[in-house]
Amino acid sequence: MNFDLGLSPAELVEAIEARHSVRVYYADRPLAPEIVSCLCDALAGLSAEVDGLTMRLVVNEPRAFGGRWASYGNFKGVENYIVISTRRGSGLDVKIGEQGEKVVLLAQHLGLNTCWVGLTYSKVSEAFDVPKGEKVRCVIALGYGIDGAGRHHKIKRPDQVSNIEPDFPEWFKEGVRLALLAPTAVNQQKFYFRLMPDGVTVRSTTRFSLIGYTGIDLGIARLHFAIGSGREAIL
């Protein structure tokens, strides 16, 4: 898993630890041109890495989070967001999570706040183009969050999301620690990491959820695990 965003391992960990989902933003504080340029370059590069996946930045567009859906999701002041689409039937849920979270961590490093959004937004067709044959899967709200607007949730224990044991290597423990800081749909954390008997191979799986989005959630958690453990090969 390639997660080179021009950030050092320490900066990536710092971004993970600082990141929290934010739903309320300063609508009158636009993104600086240099930040827009940096994000657009990153999105283009990350999209090119995965065939059938496209990510694009939409700025100064309040309608997607201006209707009743946004009110239901408690979103306010969102005028910038990332749209993620994939080719229909491509089965790229895990890649959506991995690639999208890379941009989330970059945005955090740039001083922005973010929130993954699966349902509570409106699709504004004239605001962006979706490649032929692709379907919008989710969006990521971003901008300058209002102080105190972040949401911190209770997280599961390491033994609830992995087969961790006291004598397991520190790299595995650190991977699980950062995976538990990954955002997931309604905080469900339906992922599981298993260190195989060879002491090297790590397998990741999802558990059943009525809500869905477990594949995307797993992709986000896999990226966090890879950064924490320093191991890119996760099955």
Side-chain angles (χ1 to χ4, degrees), residues 82 96 139:
I82 294 166
I96 290 173
V139 305

Side-chain angles (χ1 to χ4, degrees), residues 91-117:
L92 291 174
D93 285 19
V94 172
K95 285 299 181 182
I96 290 173
E98 290 177 351
Q99 300 298 83
E101 185 67 1
K102 292 174 185 178
V103 183
V104 165
L105 297 182
L106 175 60
Q108 181 69 43
H109 179 74
L110 293 173
L112 303 177
N113 297 109
T114 57
C115 185
W116 282 84
V117 189

Side-chain angles (χ1 to χ4, degrees), residues 67-81:
R68 66 180 181 88
W69 276 113
S71 177
Y72 177 79
N74 296 315
F75 285 98
K76 295 180 181 179
V78 180
E79 296 197 354
N80 310 292
Y81 52 93

Side-chain angles (χ1 to χ4, degrees), residues 6-211:
L7 306 181
S8 70
E11 287 173 329
L12 288 168
V13 172
E14 182 181 18
I16 288 175
E17 294 177 336
R19 186 221 62 83
H20 55 278
S21 296
V22 173
R23 296 172 180 247
V24 184
Y25 297 83
Y26 289 102
D28 58 350
R29 189 177 176 186
L31 302 183
E34 59 272 21
I35 287 181
V36 171
S37 177
C38 181
L39 290 174
C40 286
D41 287 346
L43 290 168
L46 292 169
S47 296
E49 290 178 2
V50 181
D51 182 40
L53 182 148
T54 306
M55 300 191 292
R56 71 200 59 77
L57 176 65
V58 179
V59 298
N60 304 322
E61 200 296 290
R63 291 169 294 175
F65 288 86
R68 66 180 181 88
W69 276 113
S71 177
Y72 177 79
N74 296 315
F75 285 98
K76 295 180 181 179
V78 180
E79 296 197 354
N80 310 292
Y81 52 93
I82 294 166
V83 179
I84 303 179
S85 62
T86 63
R87 188 167 53 236
R88 296 177 186 275
S90 57
L92 291 174
D93 285 19
V94 172
K95 285 299 181 182
I96 290 173
E98 290 177 351
Q99 300 298 83
E101 185 67 1
K102 292 174 185 178
V103 183
V104 165
L105 297 182
L106 175 60
Q108 181 69 43
H109 179 74
L110 293 173
L112 303 177
N113 297 109
T114 57
C115 185
W116 282 84
V117 189
L119 293 174
T120 51
Y121 66 95
S122 301
K123 297 176 183 178
V124 184
S125 58
E126 64 269 30
F128 54 86
D129 294 323
V130 177
K132 185 177 180 180
E134 291 192 6
K135 176 183 178 181
V136 175
R137 303 296 308 284
C138 60
V139 305
I140 300 171
L142 81 164
Y144 297 100
I146 294 178
D147 291 343
R151 292 189 169 191
H152 294 274
H153 297 283
K154 181 179 179 181
I155 63 176
K156 292 182 177 179
R157 302 187 311 269
D159 63 289
Q160 293 177 305
V161 299
S162 74
N163 66 332
I164 195 168
E165 295 289 347
D167 61 347
F168 274 20
E170 289 302 316
W171 61 262
F172 184 84
K173 295 177 181 178
E174 181 65 0
V176 172
R177 183 183 78 84
L178 293 193
L180 282 168
L181 297 180
T184 59
V186 298
N187 201 39
Q188 58 183 344
Q189 296 186 314
K190 293 289 187 177
F191 52 78
Y192 196 86
F193 292 90
R194 181 178 298 278
L195 180 63
M196 304 308 288
D198 63 9
V200 176
T201 306
V202 177
R203 293 188 180 277
S204 62
T205 56
T206 61
R207 291 176 168 178
F208 176 73
S209 168
L210 290 172
I211 299 170

